[in-house]
Amino acid sequence: GAVPSAPSIGLRAMGLSFRNDLGNAAGLDKDGTLLDFNYALGAGYAVVGTVLSDPHSGNLFDFLGGLWRGNAWTPLPSSGGALNSLGLPSKGVEPALRNIAAFR
C-alpha cells in the first residue's frame, strides 16, 4: 500500500522557522553541495561547514601503496569512535556562498 505522508512538525527557534528538527551537522556538507539533497530527504536544516576563506586540501595521505590519495578517518573500534585526520578540507568561502545562494 501507499506510505502515508508524515505530518508537518514545523518549529521556531531563535527567531528562525524550521520545517522539522531533523538535519545534519557541520562537517557532512563542507561546501554546501548537498543542500538540495538534504532538503529532498526532508531535513529541516543543514549546517554548512567548516568553510575556510581560501581553498585547502586538508591532510592528504597515500593509501593502497599510493594508488589512492585522500583524507583519513581512523576507526577506533574499542570506543565506537573515530580519529579525524581530515585537516579541514575546504573549497573556500566563494564556492560555498555560491552553493548557498543557488539553493535559496
Side-chain angles (χ1 to χ4, degrees), residues 6-48:
S8 176
I9 312 172
L11 63 117
R12 268 185 86 65
M14 298 178 286
L16 300 172
S17 297
F18 300 89
R19 63 181 181 168
N20 60 54
D21 60 356
L22 177 66
N24 71 280
L28 176 67
D29 187 3
K30 294 186 177 297
D31 300 302
T33 57
L34 299 174
L35 293 171
D36 288 321
F37 176 74
N38 283 314
Y39 187 80
L41 285 178
Y45 68 92
V47 179
V48 176

Side-chain angles (χ1 to χ4, degrees), residues 21-91:
D21 60 356
L22 177 66
N24 71 280
L28 176 67
D29 187 3
K30 294 186 177 297
D31 300 302
T33 57
L34 299 174
L35 293 171
D36 288 321
F37 176 74
N38 283 314
Y39 187 80
L41 285 178
Y45 68 92
V47 179
V48 176
T50 302
V51 178
L52 302 179
S53 58
D54 296 312
H56 184 262
S57 62
N59 297 329
L60 297 176
F61 300 92
D62 288 325
F63 296 93
L64 303 171
L67 294 175
W68 182 72
R69 186 167 173 81
N71 302 113
W73 281 90
T74 305
L76 303 172
S78 61
S79 68
L83 176 64
N84 175 346
S85 300
L86 299 175
L88 302 175
S90 173
K91 293 179 182 171

